[in-house]
Amino acid sequence: MLIDVESNSGYRADEQPVRFAMGGRTYDVIEMEDRWYSPRAMYFRVVASDGNRYVLCHDEEADLWSLEAFRAKDD
């Protein structure tokens, strides 16, 4: 699923997502839990303002962001 992401840039463009939007809602990134790289993409596991965990992917060649995984907060 393609999503809109606002990110902070560091030494690389779009280094860290700070906010993302999907389904008409906007979520702030509260915590960055993990980050990893593949040859063409960067992945971020984040905790959002709704308390859920998301894995966001930035395809660097296409400059597109997508939602790769979702995990609901433990109740």
Side-chain angles (χ1 to χ4, degrees), residues 5 7 12-17 36-38 40-44 55-68:
V5 175
S7 61
R12 295 175 63 142
D14 299 325
E15 184 178 350
Q16 180 172 317
W36 62 96
Y37 304 91
S38 75
R40 292 181 43 199
M42 296 172 58
Y43 294 85
F44 304 89
V55 174
L56 310 179
C57 174
H58 182 227
D59 180 326
E60 296 180 303
E61 283 187 20
D63 194 24
L64 294 173
W65 286 88
S66 60
L67 173 65
E68 296 297 311

Short mmCIF file of all heavy atoms in Angstrom, two decimals, residues 5 7 12-17 36-38 40-44 55-68:
data_model
loop_
_atom_site.label_atom_id
_atom_site.label_comp_id
_atom_site.label_asym_id
_atom_site.label_seq_id
_atom_site.Cartn_x
_atom_site.Cartn_y
_atom_site.Cartn_z
N VAL A 5 4.64 10.16 3.19
CA VAL A 5 5.52 10.23 4.35
C VAL A 5 6.25 11.56 4.37
O VAL A 5 6.74 12.02 3.34
CB VAL A 5 6.55 9.07 4.34
CG1 VAL A 5 7.55 9.21 5.49
CG2 VAL A 5 5.85 7.73 4.41
N SER A 7 9.54 13.27 6.12
CA SER A 7 10.73 12.76 6.78
C SER A 7 11.75 13.86 7.02
O SER A 7 11.72 14.90 6.39
CB SER A 7 11.36 11.65 5.94
OG SER A 7 11.73 12.15 4.68
N ARG A 12 21.60 11.35 4.31
CA ARG A 12 20.91 10.80 3.14
C ARG A 12 19.54 11.47 3.06
O ARG A 12 18.96 11.81 4.07
CB ARG A 12 20.70 9.31 3.30
CG ARG A 12 21.97 8.51 3.33
CD ARG A 12 21.67 7.08 3.61
NE ARG A 12 20.86 6.53 2.53
CZ ARG A 12 20.99 5.31 2.05
NH1 ARG A 12 21.88 4.51 2.55
NH2 ARG A 12 20.23 4.89 1.08
N ALA A 13 19.03 11.60 1.87
CA ALA A 13 17.68 12.16 1.71
C ALA A 13 16.67 11.21 2.35
O ALA A 13 16.84 10.00 2.33
CB ALA A 13 17.37 12.35 0.24
N ASP A 14 15.61 11.75 2.91
CA ASP A 14 14.53 10.97 3.51
C ASP A 14 15.06 9.95 4.52
O ASP A 14 14.65 8.80 4.54
CB ASP A 14 13.71 10.25 2.42
CG ASP A 14 13.07 11.22 1.46
OD1 ASP A 14 12.68 12.31 1.93
OD2 ASP A 14 12.97 10.92 0.28
N GLU A 15 15.94 10.41 5.37
CA GLU A 15 16.60 9.48 6.29
C GLU A 15 15.66 8.87 7.33
O GLU A 15 15.74 7.69 7.62
CB GLU A 15 17.75 10.17 7.00
CG GLU A 15 18.52 9.24 7.89
CD GLU A 15 19.68 9.90 8.55
OE1 GLU A 15 20.03 11.03 8.20
OE2 GLU A 15 20.24 9.28 9.45
N GLN A 16 14.76 9.67 7.89
CA GLN A 16 13.93 9.15 8.97
C GLN A 16 12.52 9.69 8.87
O GLN A 16 12.31 10.90 8.87
CB GLN A 16 14.54 9.54 10.31
CG GLN A 16 13.76 9.04 11.49
CD GLN A 16 14.51 9.29 12.78
OE1 GLN A 16 15.70 9.08 12.85
NE2 GLN A 16 13.79 9.74 13.78
N PRO A 17 11.50 8.80 8.80
CA PRO A 17 10.12 9.28 8.74
C PRO A 17 9.69 9.91 10.07
O PRO A 17 10.04 9.40 11.14
CB PRO A 17 9.31 8.02 8.44
CG PRO A 17 10.16 6.90 8.90
CD PRO A 17 11.58 7.34 8.76
N TRP A 36 16.64 -0.87 8.62
CA TRP A 36 17.54 -1.74 7.88
C TRP A 36 17.47 -1.38 6.40
O TRP A 36 16.57 -0.69 5.95
CB TRP A 36 17.26 -3.22 8.14
CG TRP A 36 15.90 -3.71 7.75
CD1 TRP A 36 15.56 -4.34 6.59
CD2 TRP A 36 14.69 -3.63 8.51
NE1 TRP A 36 14.22 -4.65 6.58
CE2 TRP A 36 13.67 -4.23 7.76
CE3 TRP A 36 14.37 -3.10 9.78
CZ2 TRP A 36 12.36 -4.32 8.21
CZ3 TRP A 36 13.07 -3.20 10.22
CH2 TRP A 36 12.08 -3.81 9.46
N TYR A 37 18.45 -1.88 5.66
CA TYR A 37 18.63 -1.51 4.27
C TYR A 37 18.62 -2.74 3.38
O TYR A 37 19.10 -3.80 3.79
CB TYR A 37 19.96 -0.78 4.07
CG TYR A 37 20.13 0.42 4.96
CD1 TYR A 37 20.74 0.32 6.21
CD2 TYR A 37 19.68 1.67 4.55
CE1 TYR A 37 20.88 1.42 7.03
CE2 TYR A 37 19.83 2.78 5.36
CZ TYR A 37 20.43 2.64 6.60
OH TYR A 37 20.57 3.74 7.41
N SER A 38 18.10 -2.59 2.20
CA SER A 38 18.26 -3.57 1.13
C SER A 38 18.98 -2.83 0.01
O SER A 38 19.20 -1.63 0.12
CB SER A 38 16.89 -4.10 0.68
OG SER A 38 16.22 -3.14 -0.11
N ARG A 40 17.97 -1.64 -2.71
CA ARG A 40 17.21 -0.55 -3.34
C ARG A 40 16.30 0.21 -2.38
O ARG A 40 15.64 1.16 -2.79
CB ARG A 40 16.34 -1.11 -4.46
CG ARG A 40 17.12 -1.62 -5.64
CD ARG A 40 16.23 -2.13 -6.72
NE ARG A 40 15.09 -1.24 -6.95
CZ ARG A 40 13.99 -1.61 -7.57
NH1 ARG A 40 13.85 -2.82 -8.00
NH2 ARG A 40 13.01 -0.75 -7.75
N ALA A 41 16.22 -0.21 -1.13
CA ALA A 41 15.22 0.39 -0.24
C ALA A 41 15.74 0.48 1.19
O ALA A 41 16.68 -0.21 1.57
CB ALA A 41 13.93 -0.43 -0.27
N MET A 42 15.07 1.35 1.94
CA MET A 42 15.30 1.49 3.37
C MET A 42 13.99 1.13 4.08
O MET A 42 12.91 1.52 3.63
CB MET A 42 15.69 2.92 3.72
CG MET A 42 16.99 3.37 3.11
SD MET A 42 17.32 5.14 3.34
CE MET A 42 17.28 5.29 5.10
N TYR A 43 14.10 0.39 5.18
CA TYR A 43 12.93 -0.03 5.96
C TYR A 43 13.02 0.56 7.35
O TYR A 43 14.11 0.64 7.92
CB TYR A 43 12.88 -1.56 6.05
CG TYR A 43 12.63 -2.22 4.72
CD1 TYR A 43 13.68 -2.50 3.86
CD2 TYR A 43 11.35 -2.57 4.33
CE1 TYR A 43 13.47 -3.10 2.64
CE2 TYR A 43 11.12 -3.17 3.11
CZ TYR A 43 12.18 -3.44 2.27
OH TYR A 43 11.96 -4.03 1.05
N PHE A 44 11.87 0.92 7.89
CA PHE A 44 11.79 1.52 9.22
C PHE A 44 10.66 0.86 10.00
O PHE A 44 9.53 0.84 9.53
CB PHE A 44 11.50 3.02 9.12
CG PHE A 44 12.48 3.78 8.28
CD1 PHE A 44 12.29 3.91 6.92
CD2 PHE A 44 13.59 4.36 8.87
CE1 PHE A 44 13.20 4.62 6.15
CE2 PHE A 44 14.50 5.07 8.10
CZ PHE A 44 14.31 5.20 6.74
N VAL A 55 5.80 -1.07 9.65
CA VAL A 55 7.05 -1.14 8.91
C VAL A 55 6.83 -0.35 7.63
O VAL A 55 5.96 -0.68 6.81
CB VAL A 55 7.46 -2.59 8.59
CG1 VAL A 55 8.70 -2.61 7.69
CG2 VAL A 55 7.73 -3.36 9.87
N LEU A 56 7.60 0.73 7.49
CA LEU A 56 7.52 1.60 6.33
C LEU A 56 8.73 1.34 5.44
O LEU A 56 9.84 1.13 5.94
CB LEU A 56 7.53 3.07 6.76
CG LEU A 56 6.53 3.45 7.86
CD1 LEU A 56 6.68 4.93 8.20
CD2 LEU A 56 5.11 3.13 7.44
N CYS A 57 8.52 1.36 4.15
CA CYS A 57 9.60 1.11 3.19
C CYS A 57 9.73 2.30 2.25
O CYS A 57 8.73 2.78 1.71
CB CYS A 57 9.29 -0.15 2.38
SG CYS A 57 10.46 -0.45 1.04
N HIS A 58 10.96 2.76 2.06
CA HIS A 58 11.23 3.82 1.08
C HIS A 58 12.02 3.21 -0.06
O HIS A 58 13.18 2.84 0.09
CB HIS A 58 12.01 4.98 1.71
CG HIS A 58 12.25 6.07 0.75
ND1 HIS A 58 13.47 6.67 0.59
CD2 HIS A 58 11.43 6.69 -0.13
CE1 HIS A 58 13.39 7.60 -0.34
NE2 HIS A 58 12.16 7.62 -0.79
N ASP A 59 11.38 3.08 -1.22
CA ASP A 59 12.05 2.62 -2.44
C ASP A 59 12.82 3.81 -2.98
O ASP A 59 12.23 4.77 -3.47
CB ASP A 59 11.01 2.14 -3.45
CG ASP A 59 11.61 1.66 -4.75
OD1 ASP A 59 12.65 2.20 -5.20
OD2 ASP A 59 11.04 0.73 -5.35
N GLU A 60 14.13 3.76 -2.85
CA GLU A 60 14.96 4.91 -3.19
C GLU A 60 15.01 5.18 -4.69
O GLU A 60 15.07 6.35 -5.09
CB GLU A 60 16.36 4.72 -2.62
CG GLU A 60 16.34 4.67 -1.11
CD GLU A 60 17.70 4.47 -0.51
OE1 GLU A 60 18.36 3.47 -0.84
OE2 GLU A 60 18.11 5.35 0.29
N GLU A 61 14.96 4.16 -5.52
CA GLU A 61 14.98 4.38 -6.97
C GLU A 61 13.72 5.06 -7.46
O GLU A 61 13.76 5.99 -8.25
CB GLU A 61 15.18 3.06 -7.71
CG GLU A 61 16.61 2.57 -7.69
CD GLU A 61 16.79 1.35 -8.57
OE1 GLU A 61 15.96 1.10 -9.47
OE2 GLU A 61 17.79 0.65 -8.34
N ALA A 62 12.57 4.58 -6.99
CA ALA A 62 11.29 5.15 -7.43
C ALA A 62 10.86 6.33 -6.57
O ALA A 62 9.93 7.03 -6.93
CB ALA A 62 10.21 4.07 -7.39
N ASP A 63 11.52 6.55 -5.44
CA ASP A 63 11.17 7.58 -4.47
C ASP A 63 9.71 7.45 -4.04
O ASP A 63 8.95 8.41 -4.03
CB ASP A 63 11.45 8.99 -5.02
CG ASP A 63 11.41 10.04 -3.92
OD1 ASP A 63 11.63 9.68 -2.74
OD2 ASP A 63 11.14 11.21 -4.24
N LEU A 64 9.34 6.22 -3.67
CA LEU A 64 7.98 5.92 -3.20
C LEU A 64 8.05 5.28 -1.82
O LEU A 64 8.98 4.51 -1.53
CB LEU A 64 7.27 4.96 -4.15
CG LEU A 64 6.97 5.48 -5.54
CD1 LEU A 64 6.41 4.36 -6.41
CD2 LEU A 64 6.00 6.64 -5.48
N TRP A 65 7.07 5.60 -0.98
CA TRP A 65 6.94 5.00 0.34
C TRP A 65 5.77 4.03 0.33
O TRP A 65 4.74 4.28 -0.29
CB TRP A 65 6.67 6.08 1.38
CG TRP A 65 7.85 6.91 1.73
CD1 TRP A 65 8.26 8.05 1.11
CD2 TRP A 65 8.76 6.69 2.79
NE1 TRP A 65 9.37 8.56 1.73
CE2 TRP A 65 9.70 7.74 2.78
CE3 TRP A 65 8.87 5.71 3.78
CZ2 TRP A 65 10.74 7.83 3.70
CZ3 TRP A 65 9.90 5.81 4.71
CH2 TRP A 65 10.82 6.85 4.65
N SER A 66 5.93 2.93 1.07
CA SER A 66 4.84 1.96 1.19
C SER A 66 4.78 1.42 2.60
O SER A 66 5.77 1.44 3.35
CB SER A 66 5.02 0.80 0.20
OG SER A 66 6.24 0.13 0.44
N LEU A 67 3.59 0.93 2.96
CA LEU A 67 3.40 0.25 4.23
C LEU A 67 3.63 -1.23 3.96
O LEU A 67 2.96 -1.84 3.13
CB LEU A 67 1.97 0.47 4.74
CG LEU A 67 1.59 -0.33 5.99
CD1 LEU A 67 2.42 0.11 7.18
CD2 LEU A 67 0.11 -0.18 6.27
N GLU A 68 4.60 -1.83 4.67
CA GLU A 68 4.96 -3.23 4.45
C GLU A 68 4.38 -4.15 5.50
O GLU A 68 4.16 -5.33 5.24
CB GLU A 68 6.48 -3.38 4.43
CG GLU A 68 7.13 -2.65 3.27
CD GLU A 68 6.71 -3.18 1.91
OE1 GLU A 68 6.75 -4.42 1.73
OE2 GLU A 68 6.32 -2.38 1.05
#
